[in-house]
Amino acid sequence: MSLAQLIDELNPQQKQAATTETKHSLVLAGAGCGKTKTIVARAAYLIDQGVPANQIQILTFTRRSASEIVARVELALGEQAKGLRASTFHTFCMYLLRRIPQAFGLEQFTIIDRDDQIMMFRLIRGKDDKNNPNQLPKPKELCDLYSFARNTRQKLSVALEKQHPEHIVFKDQIAAIMQEYEARKRARSFLDYDDILAIVASALEQSEGLVDYVSSICQHMLVDEMQDTNPLQWALLEPLKDKVSLFCVGDDAQSIYGFRGADFENIHHFKERVPDAQIFKLEQNYRSTQEILDLSNWLLDQSEIKYDKRLDAHRGEGVKPKMHIFPNEFDEAKWIAIDIKERHYLAGNAWRDHMVLVRSSFAARHIEAACIQANVPYRFIGGMKLLETAHVKDLLSLLRVIANPLDDIAWMRFLTLWNGVGDVGASRLAQQLLQQADMDGIFEKLEKFARIPAQTLLIMKQMNVLRHEVKESVSLGIQAIETQLAENYKKDWNRRQGDFELVKQLASKHSQLSEFLEEYVLDPVSISEIERQSEDDVVTLITIHSAKGTEQKICYVANVTAGQYPHARAQGSFDDVEEERRVLYVALTRAQNELILTKQNLSLWARDQVDEQGRKVESYFLNDLTRNLCTMETHHKTRQQTVKSALIERQSINLDFGINLD
């Protein structure tokens, strides 16, 4: 495909945005309106206009979308596009930290991930006793609170008020824990995820020279999913806006990560922050039928926030969305499973044509049980990352101590794998290992410790020699701990074992072990990303937060019951309720041909409230849903499979009546 074809495929709105001459632009792209296509066309257009490809930096939220954009630009331009960079915010900052460490006052450092952070908070917080009341936040909560305060650039007291108001009384103790955490990071030259962004952001704020350097390697910045950026990410962009051209794409109606610190205002008030920016709107939707969009548009129209967008279906009209009402969650889940089954056997729909959207992995459990009972093949995508699963973390801990023998957190994890080694023994030995001058001294200590099999230590010595051969190191690492892991995870070891093949695949792309570890710590590959590529004919059961960017022919949005949309915990807060509205909007706009809503017939009397600014805070979004937007059906009896589909199902099962007589 050439550039001319690429531009030719754009609609007038997309074309205007992709070929603009203005320095700064914000493209407000509705769901299914081709925002990736517009970013691809923009990058290709700039290169065609004479901007060197290596002067364009694309910032995305996942590695997958970064590589997809680059691949599509290369397809259009070929050799001309070589050198185009696309990466996540973290990877871009890492590139700067590694390229010019002296600009940040850093020499040697190790990246630690969330599990490592939790481990550090666990060690600092200590156990619950008289001196340490159990009302203190747990290590995981401390970690989330710390990260939220960094990403939103707020004081600890403000972050506490928002996240854990019940812990306000312990503010001084919490502050002391966090102070100690920061001191330990410095002493060990550890950087956590948030440090990577924060160090670069504060250096850009303070150093004109660094701003000049970044603008010398990057004339244009193209930012995808602008609605998901947080104040810390904005602090990276703001110092650059006088020297670098910004092209930001996103949808304010899909801003659903406020709980992680994403700032809705970054996109909603972009014009105030970048006064000379031009705003473009993409409202032509290529995914859904008009009936599905009418319901989605109506949901936004009910809001006091002016989203100021109206999606039109390029495909025209289709089937009106349906709402099914049930006496309880069991009947609801059973109905969904049997409805999918009937559509498969009687209407000939493939299993993969169906997607069921739920609020959380907890909310999926009834539907999973119903699918298993009804023999409906499915996969669940709930956002678990491959490199965050316990068995893979165990392998990574071994690789990390080979790459950096001073990583005491990795030593803790590796040592506690083995039978009979607890936190105290591991901590004591880890401190001794850190004092050794070289790897020979470390292996000597480990042999004396006598808890780690001789075979494992032998393989670790091989790994130390082959540290620069990434794939070999990973294969040896698996070999070294496989027997112990099989014992530790005997319940589902067969399933877990398969993940190691994926890790080997990922490792094969790298020449340095430290580089491999760093890249995947920064942006762990989602299992769902790997699974999504599989061609298996199965139903997708997915959480709404994992479903952004996905679509399917028939979508079920489960449990749109009062108390769920908005969730009970958001009630009373205008901003939280509005984020909940956007979560539902994301769910509705995944459907291509049919949208089916299900809920329970609960009589919850909740009144809308008015906040201090006189804005209505809704208690349930679908109270005023009219029949011209959505047909309703109430079910009083549990749904059963029809005889006809049961017979077809029976024919498709090959019964086994004998032995192989060969």
Side-chain angles (χ1 to χ4, degrees):
M1 182 190 280
S2 65
L3 175 72
Q5 283 170 296
L6 193 67
I7 299 289
D8 210 39
E9 280 184 7
L10 302 178
N11 66 36
Q13 287 178 323
Q14 293 167 333
K15 191 172 180 177
Q16 194 189 2
T19 58
T20 179
E21 296 303 318
T22 50
K23 185 178 177 184
H24 301 308
S25 318
L26 172 68
V27 181
L28 285 172
C33 293
K35 73 177 170 64
T36 308
K37 196 178 197 178
T38 309
I39 283 190
V40 168
R42 176 67 179 166
Y45 175 76
L46 287 171
I47 296 168
D48 186 67
Q49 292 298 297
V51 176
N54 62 4
Q55 285 283 331
I56 301 171
Q57 172 67 54
I58 301 166
L59 291 172
T60 66
F61 274 79
T62 64
R63 188 195 292 93
R64 184 170 166 225
S65 52
S67 54
E68 183 192 337
I69 292 170
V70 170
R72 285 169 65 174
V73 177
E74 285 177 348
L75 196 65
L77 296 183
E79 278 302 305
Q80 233 183 324
K82 288 282 178 276
L84 176 67
R85 286 193 307 270
S87 55
T88 63
F89 277 87
H90 283 93
T91 310
F92 172 66
C93 289
M94 243 356 272
Y95 168 76
L96 294 175
L97 289 175
R98 288 284 181 222
R99 195 159 175 177
I100 41 168
Q102 59 286 1
F104 308 97
L106 294 167
E107 292 311 316
Q108 263 316 101
F109 57 87
T110 300
I111 306 293
I112 59 170
D113 68 9
R114 186 175 143 82
D115 267 15
D116 302 331
Q117 288 179 275
I118 293 170
M119 173 73 82
M120 282 176 76
F121 278 118
R122 197 165 96 209
L123 293 169
I124 299 164
R125 181 190 181 278
K127 289 193 169 64
D128 294 330
D129 55 31
K130 282 180 190 155
N131 307 324
N132 196 6
N134 63 4
Q135 291 95 323
L136 271 179
K138 298 286 181 268
K140 181 180 168 300
E141 291 171 332
L142 285 166
C143 183
D144 289 346
L145 177 65
Y146 181 79
S147 189
F148 184 80
R150 295 288 302 276
N151 282 293
T152 54
R153 307 190 99 197
Q154 289 173 335
K155 292 178 186 164
L156 175 59
S157 48
V158 178
L160 256 174
E161 187 66 58
K162 283 190 182 167
Q163 295 272 296
H164 293 287
E166 70 280 15
H167 295 313
I168 286 270
V169 287
F170 301 108
K171 180 187 163 283
D172 292 347
Q173 282 158 284
I174 294 169
I177 293 172
M178 290 189 174
Q179 205 170 358
E180 175 61 20
Y181 167 72
E182 290 185 342
R184 289 195 189 188
K185 276 196 303 184
R186 265 192 220 98
R188 292 165 172 75
S189 300
F190 285 163
L191 297 186
D192 60 32
Y193 289 164
D194 306 322
D195 291 325
I196 296 165
L197 301 188
I199 288 169
V200 176
S202 59
L204 284 168
E205 253 169 333
Q206 295 164 53
S207 164
E208 192 65 35
L210 186 60
V211 171
D212 288 343
Y213 173 76
V214 173
S215 58
S216 73
I217 60 167
C218 161
Q219 296 173 26
H220 292 264
M221 259 190 184
L222 281 54
V223 184
D224 193 12
E225 305 285 10
M226 187 66 190
Q227 75 281 352
D228 294 336
T229 53
N230 58 38
L232 182 51
Q233 287 158 332
W234 175 250
L236 287 165
L237 300 173
E238 193 164 37
L240 298 169
K241 66 178 193 261
D242 294 335
K243 301 269 175 84
V244 173
S245 173
L246 294 177
F247 183 85
C248 303
V249 180
D251 181 4
D252 48 353
Q254 293 189 69
S255 175
I256 61 174
Y257 288 107
F259 64 94
R260 279 193 210 155
D263 185 3
F264 175 66
E265 303 300 330
N266 282 354
I267 189 164
H268 209 63
H269 287 153
F270 188 84
K271 194 86 173 101
E272 290 159 37
R273 296 180 178 192
V274 188
D276 55 342
Q278 194 171 347
I279 310 283
F280 299 94
K281 278 188 201 172
L282 307 185
E283 296 177 304
Q284 184 82 293
N285 173 292
Y286 293 88
R287 178 183 296 155
S288 311
T289 60
Q290 192 58 51
E291 282 79 357
I292 294 167
L293 297 182
D294 286 345
L295 180 57
S296 313
N297 288 332
W298 170 85
L299 180 69
L300 292 188
D301 289 345
Q302 304 303 301
S303 170
E304 299 244 339
I305 295 176
K306 294 289 167 260
Y307 289 99
D308 203 21
K309 83 162 59 69
R310 185 138 210 95
L311 298 189
D312 288 311
H314 180 72
R315 296 173 54 200
E317 305 218 329
V319 180
K320 196 183 286 187
K322 292 188 182 71
M323 169 83 83
H324 293 270
I325 304 161
F326 302 91
N328 56 57
E329 58 204 345
F330 300 101
D331 284 8
E332 177 185 24
K334 188 171 180 184
W335 185 91
I336 292 172
I338 289 180
D339 195 62
I340 294 172
K341 194 171 182 175
E342 299 277 90
R343 284 167 180 270
H344 174 73
Y345 286 117
L346 299 178
N349 290 315
W351 295 115
R352 73 166 76 87
D353 293 345
H354 307 84
M355 182 189 276
V356 185
L357 293 123
V358 290
R359 277 306 292 264
S360 63
S361 37
F362 182 72
R365 67 199 192 287
H366 293 302
I367 298 168
E368 280 203 84
C371 286
I372 292 165
Q373 201 178 352
N375 290 322
V376 170
Y378 74 95
R379 60 164 174 225
F380 176 60
I381 298 175
M384 186 57 175
K385 305 283 190 191
L386 172 68
L387 297 184
E388 287 171 2
T389 51
H391 55 298
V392 176
K393 297 280 293 196
D394 297 335
L395 169 66
L396 293 185
S397 71
L398 169 55
L399 296 172
R400 279 170 53 180
V401 298
I402 298 292
N404 173 15
L406 295 175
D407 190 337
D408 58 345
I409 297 174
W411 275 121
M412 279 288 293
R413 179 150 195 147
F414 173 69
L415 294 170
T416 50
L417 277 182
W418 305 96
N419 296 338
V421 185
D423 279 1
V424 177
S427 179
R428 201 175 297 134
L429 179 60
Q431 293 318 308
Q432 293 172 18
L433 296 175
L434 295 192
Q435 288 158 19
Q436 299 306 307
D438 53 23
M439 282 305 276
D440 291 342
I442 287 175
F443 285 127
E444 207 172 301
K445 282 271 183 225
L446 290 172
E447 277 160 6
K448 276 188 191 155
F449 183 58
R451 291 279 167 72
I452 299 170
Q455 180 64 18
T456 298
L457 290 175
L458 193 67
I459 298 173
M460 284 172 74
K461 287 175 183 172
Q462 284 176 274
M463 288 171 75
N464 191 41
V465 173
L466 293 169
R467 276 231 279 266
H468 299 301
E469 308 291 328
V470 184
K471 205 171 172 187
E472 283 73 6
S473 295
V474 171
S475 298
L476 285 168
I478 296 166
Q479 223 177 307
I481 56 176
E482 205 159 18
T483 311
Q484 185 64 51
L485 292 189
E487 190 181 323
N488 294 0
Y489 302 105
K490 47 176 155 310
K491 262 191 181 161
D492 55 353
W493 176 238
N494 286 347
R495 181 182 62 77
R496 289 175 184 264
Q497 228 177 343
D499 291 343
F500 290 131
E501 286 307 312
L502 298 171
V503 178
K504 283 183 198 169
Q505 273 176 41
L506 297 174
S508 62
K509 297 174 189 170
H510 294 273
S511 55
Q512 293 280 327
L513 188 55
S514 54
E515 179 198 293
F516 161 68
L517 290 167
E518 199 162 273
E519 184 168 347
Y520 290 101
V521 161
L522 288 181
D523 187 15
V525 176
S526 171
I527 297 178
S528 60
E529 282 179 32
I530 298 160
E531 284 181 348
R532 251 180 236 174
Q533 294 163 13
S534 76
E535 290 305 304
D536 294 346
D537 187 19
V538 295
V539 174
T540 298
L541 178 57
I542 191 167
T543 62
I544 299 171
H545 284 90
S546 301
K548 272 182 67 179
T550 61
E551 54 188 39
Q552 200 44 269
K553 290 176 184 161
I554 305 159
C555 284
Y556 298 78
V557 183
N559 198 9
V560 293
T561 309
Q564 291 295 321
Y565 294 95
H567 199 279
R569 64 172 173 259
Q571 303 237 340
S573 159
F574 180 81
D575 290 343
D576 290 357
V577 164
E578 284 305 312
E579 178 153 320
E580 291 282 300
R581 182 190 307 277
R582 296 192 291 270
V583 169
L584 182 55
Y585 175 80
V586 167
L588 301 181
T589 51
R590 298 309 95 200
Q592 295 171 319
N593 302 343
E594 274 189 79
L595 174 63
I596 300 154
L597 308 171
T598 65
K599 71 170 192 173
Q600 291 141 49
N601 198 8
L602 303 176
S603 322
L604 283 181
W605 291 96
R607 277 217 307 261
D608 294 345
Q609 297 173 11
V610 174
D611 72 354
E612 324 69 80
Q613 296 176 42
R615 301 173 298 185
K616 184 171 83 172
V617 182
E618 278 185 72
S619 62
Y620 181 46
F621 298 132
L622 302 178
N623 263 338
D624 302 319
L625 198 54
T626 56
R627 285 196 175 269
N628 64 334
L629 288 169
C630 184
T631 56
M632 313 259 181
E633 187 178 345
T634 302
H635 300 262
H636 300 290
K637 281 201 286 230
T638 307
R639 182 162 186 181
Q640 302 299 328
Q641 190 177 352
T642 61
V643 173
K644 190 176 177 186
S645 88
L647 287 169
I648 299 171
E649 181 182 11
R650 197 167 296 163
Q651 285 163 15
S652 67
I653 298 170
N654 295 318
L655 298 177
D656 185 350
F657 285 110
I659 62 167
N660 182 346
L661 298 171
D662 194 3

